[in-house]
Amino acid sequence: RREGTEWKVVPQGQAPRNELSCSTTGDREFAYIHEHNWNEQMWNIAGRVDFQSLMEEGCYLLKGVASDVIHRLSFGAKVFARRGTVLIEEGSENSAIFVVGHGALKVTVKGEKISTIGPGQVVGLYTMLKGTNASATVTVSSELAYVLELRHSHFQSCLEDEPSVKQRMQVILEQREAQNKAAEMVHNKTIREV
């Protein structure tokens, strides 16, 4: 138990709705639904999602990466999260990248929605590339999301010899910085109007 952390009792296999606001990746993981707690619907979704194929065929970031590298990446934790679960919290430490297999994630900066992340897309790169706390909050917006969670260290070690991935990560980083700047401008304008 972390000093100053308040724990809530939640029925097994359920995540608290819109109540999860934790300061570290480790704390947030308590809201994830792991394989031993999956229900029938989750097993059906998991059976239809092949993260290796999804990353090989539908992920801009990993385009052209060798199959053996993608195979190593697919060994991350495969978890479910319910609507309202915060995967990444703005201003907090984040040590994971998430590949969406099912469902949708909402990305907000200072409360302003900047994008929706869906199957085959990756979120969490910004903190890894910048070496800073998270610049945005990422929340599950669909009823249920099935994600592959990859630790930054695992992701980097698998892709250290892939210059094309590093170039695409830079492009994504620049896009995210532009989105963050736009959200900040909207947020500041809203505050001035109030």
Side-chain angles (χ1 to χ4, degrees), residues 11-140:
Q12 189 174 16
Q14 292 185 11
R17 291 180 170 257
N18 300 322
E19 296 178 10
L20 185 63
S21 181
C22 303
S23 60
T24 68
T25 303
D27 289 343
R28 286 188 294 275
E29 289 174 350
F30 284 109
Y32 304 162
I33 305 167
H34 296 270
E35 189 173 311
H36 61 278
N37 287 323
W38 290 357
N39 61 29
E40 186 177 343
Q41 176 191 16
M42 294 171 187
W43 280 107
N44 287 333
I45 292 168
R48 292 189 308 264
V49 175
D50 176 2
F51 280 105
Q52 185 169 345
S53 295
L54 192 63
M55 288 187 288
E56 284 178 336
E57 299 164 11
C59 185
Y60 163 75
L61 180 65
L62 301 173
K63 183 179 176 184
V65 173
S67 290
D68 64 312
V69 174
I70 300 290
H71 180 72
R72 286 197 315 270
L73 280 173
S74 68
F75 285 113
K78 296 168 183 84
V79 297
F80 280 93
R82 295 187 192 285
R83 182 186 325 271
T85 301
V86 175
L87 301 180
I88 299 172
E89 186 175 11
E90 185 175 355
S92 296
E93 165 272 328
N94 174 51
S95 61
I97 291 170
F98 298 91
V99 179
V100 180
H102 171 85
L105 310 178
K106 176 177 68 171
V107 181
T108 59
V109 173
K110 299 199 182 309
E112 301 294 330
K113 182 179 174 184
I114 60 170
S115 67
T116 300
I117 306 296
Q121 292 182 297
V122 178
V123 68
L125 291 169
Y126 189 87
T127 55
M128 179 184 74
L129 296 173
K130 295 293 277 187
T132 64
N133 286 341
S135 63
T137 296
V138 179
T139 309
V140 176

